[in-house]
Amino acid sequence: MTDTLTRPVVPAARPATGYMHGLDLLRVIASVCVVLTHLTAWFTLRDKDFWLAHWVERDVVGTLHLNPRLSFMGVALFLVVSGVVVTHVADREKPLQFLRRRVVRLMPLLWVVTPLVWLLINLGYQVSSAKEGDLTFGDMISGMFLVNYFQDPPVALVAVTWTLTIQIVFYAYVAATIPLLRRMPWIPPLAAAPLCFITLLITDGFGTNTAHQIGQFGAYLPVLVIGQLISLVHSKKVHPLAGTAIGAVHFVLFTWADKVGGYTSQGDSVPRTLFIAVLLTIVLVSASGPVTRSAFVRGWSKRTYAIYLVHLSCMYPLFDTLMGVLDPNLVAVMGLALTALVAEILHRLVEMPAHNAVRRWEKRTKR
C-alpha cells in the first residue's frame, strides 16, 4: 500500500504547492455562514419575523436540505479548512515552532475578547443563545484558557470557542506526528480513526460533562482529519484513492458519532452539511482566479478569526437594545458594521502585533 497508494516523499523532493488562494475564499464563505446563522438565530430566539431569516430557510436551507439557519455549515467549513492549512504549514515547521505559532495565532485574541465578553455578560447583556448569570473572576480566567467547557455546569462566555478546544487537540496531534507526515503521510490520518473511535467508546456512558467534552474530541477530530487528507492529496503526498478511502472512514465515524453519541446535535442534516463543506473545499482549494486572488478576499480572510470571536457579542447586545426602536434592517446592518469595525481593530492591534512579535523572536533566536 505504501508503494502504490501513497507516495511518501523525502524532504528534498517535497513539491512546493505555494499559497492556496482558494482557502481565502473558503474562509470568507465560512465566516458569512457563521454570522448569518447567528444573526437569523437572534430573530428566532426572540420570536420575531425578519425577511433574511425567511430567505435563508426557504431558498437555502430548503433547497439544499440543510439544518435550520444553516447551523454547522460555517463551523464545518472552518474545521475542514483548518485541517488543510495546518497540514500544509506543518510540512515546513518543526514541532515546537508549529505549536508556538498556532498558540500565538489563537490565544492573544482570545485573551482580549474573553474579558470584554465577561464584562458584557455581567452588565446583563446576552451574548449567545444561552443566557448566562453573573460570572466570577474565576469564570473569566477559565474562559481565557478554554477550560470553562469542562466546568460543571459549563460556562459559555465566548460561545463559539468550543471549536478552539478541538482545534488545539488536533494541533497537538499534528505536532506529534510531523515526522510521520513527512515520511509516511498516510499513517497519521489513518491512525486518528481508531483513536477517535476508542475515545468515543470510553467516554460514552459516563454521563459527566467532562466525559462529554472529551467525547467531542473524538466526534469532531475526523472533520479536521478530512481536511488534512485534502491537503495531503492536493500536495501529491497521498494517492487520491488512499485519501478517499481514509476520508470515508472518518466521515462514517463522524456520522456515527452524530447519530449515536449525540455530540453533534445541531440538526438532522449534519452529515449532509459536512459532505457539502468537503466538496466545496475540494473544488475551491486549487482555485486561483481574480476573486480568490483579490486584496478584498485576502484581507477578509485574515480577519475571519476576529470576526468569528466577536460577532455574537457585537450583534446581540446591539439588537437587544435597538431592535424595538429602529428599523430591523438598519439595526441588522449596524450589527454587521460593528462586527467589522471591532474585528478590524482587534486584527490590527492584537493579531498582527502578536504574529510579528513571534516572527521577530524566531529570527533573533535563529541568529
Side-chain angles (χ1 to χ4, degrees):
M1 179 177 179
T2 302
D3 293 330
T4 58
L5 293 185
T6 62
R7 299 169 184 171
V9 184
V10 295
R14 211 174 284 141
T17 56
Y19 189 84
M20 292 181 281
H21 296 276
L23 297 182
D24 287 340
L25 182 58
L26 284 166
R27 288 193 188 98
V28 170
I29 295 171
S31 67
V32 169
C33 290
V34 168
V35 171
L36 194 59
T37 293
H38 292 137
L39 189 155
T40 56
W42 184 89
F43 290 92
T44 302
L45 290 169
R46 304 303 188 277
D47 197 25
K48 295 179 180 291
D49 290 327
F50 190 50
W51 67 270
L52 185 59
H54 289 303
W55 176 79
V56 168
E57 294 301 314
R58 182 184 67 248
D59 296 335
V60 182
V61 170
T63 302
L64 297 176
H65 303 287
L66 300 175
N67 294 320
R69 301 180 302 279
L70 286 177
S71 178
F72 187 60
M73 175 58 78
V75 169
L77 276 172
F78 271 131
L79 292 179
V80 173
V81 169
S82 181
V84 176
V85 173
V86 164
T87 304
H88 180 69
V89 299
D91 189 47
R92 57 180 182 268
E93 296 176 354
K94 297 178 181 179
L96 288 180
Q97 179 190 41
F98 170 84
L99 285 176
R100 180 171 59 245
R101 289 184 174 184
R102 304 292 80 73
V103 168
V104 171
R105 174 76 177 103
L106 294 183
M107 302 311 290
L109 196 57
L110 179 67
W111 291 337
V112 172
V113 172
T114 300
L116 296 176
V117 173
W118 176 84
L119 180 61
L120 285 173
I121 292 173
N122 281 338
L123 289 175
Y125 292 103
Q126 185 172 349
V127 293
S128 70
S129 58
K131 186 173 179 59
E132 297 284 355
D134 291 338
L135 302 178
T136 66
F137 182 77
D139 292 329
M140 183 185 74
I141 298 300
S142 67
M144 293 173 68
F145 292 92
L146 298 175
V147 296
N148 52 308
Y149 295 104
F150 296 91
Q151 296 177 206
D152 197 6
V155 177
L157 271 173
V158 187
V160 295
T161 54
W162 66 271
T163 61
L164 301 187
T165 63
I166 297 162
Q167 290 194 66
I168 289 173
V169 172
F170 181 68
Y171 295 162
Y173 182 74
V174 171
T177 58
I178 280 178
L180 278 174
L181 281 171
R182 292 176 181 173
R183 296 184 178 276
M184 293 178 284
W186 57 276
I187 290 183
L190 182 61
L195 289 176
C196 291
F197 182 70
I198 292 170
T199 299
L200 289 167
L201 287 181
I202 291 175
T203 56
D204 185 44
F206 273 87
T208 65
N209 179 60
T210 299
H212 180 78
Q213 295 302 320
I214 295 174
Q216 279 199 317
F217 299 148
Y220 283 98
L221 279 176
V223 181
L224 287 143
V225 174
I226 290 173
Q228 181 177 65
L229 287 163
I230 293 173
S231 179
L232 293 172
V233 171
H234 174 76
S235 60
K236 297 181 173 60
K237 296 174 185 175
V238 169
H239 193 282
L241 289 178
T244 302
I246 300 172
V249 172
H250 282 279
F251 188 87
V252 170
L253 182 59
F254 175 79
T255 303
W256 174 74
D258 172 60
K259 298 301 182 185
V260 178
Y263 293 102
T264 59
S265 54
Q266 301 186 57
D268 295 332
S269 299
V270 168
R272 180 196 300 270
T273 302
L274 176 59
F275 185 72
I276 292 174
V278 171
L279 287 182
L280 197 58
T281 304
I282 293 172
V283 170
L284 292 180
V285 69
S286 300
S288 184
V291 175
T292 56
R293 287 179 172 269
S294 68
F296 177 75
V297 169
R298 183 80 178 268
W300 188 334
S301 173
K302 290 181 178 180
R303 291 154 177 80
T304 50
Y305 178 48
I307 293 171
Y308 186 69
L309 285 189
V310 305
H311 70 281
L312 278 168
S313 53
C314 286
M315 291 193 305
Y316 278 28
L318 185 73
F319 289 0
D320 286 333
T321 303
L322 298 179
M323 200 60 78
V325 179
L326 301 176
D327 178 74
N329 295 291
L330 176 60
V331 178
V333 171
M334 291 171 64
L336 295 175
L338 180 61
T339 299
L341 176 62
V342 174
E344 179 67 22
I345 292 172
L346 292 174
H347 175 71
R348 291 181 178 272
L349 299 184
V350 180
E351 285 190 288
M352 290 178 61
H355 171 83
N356 294 334
V358 74
R359 297 307 169 100
R360 288 194 301 268
W361 181 86
E362 287 177 350
K363 287 180 179 179
R364 288 197 302 268
T365 303
K366 187 175 181 180
R367 286 199 298 265

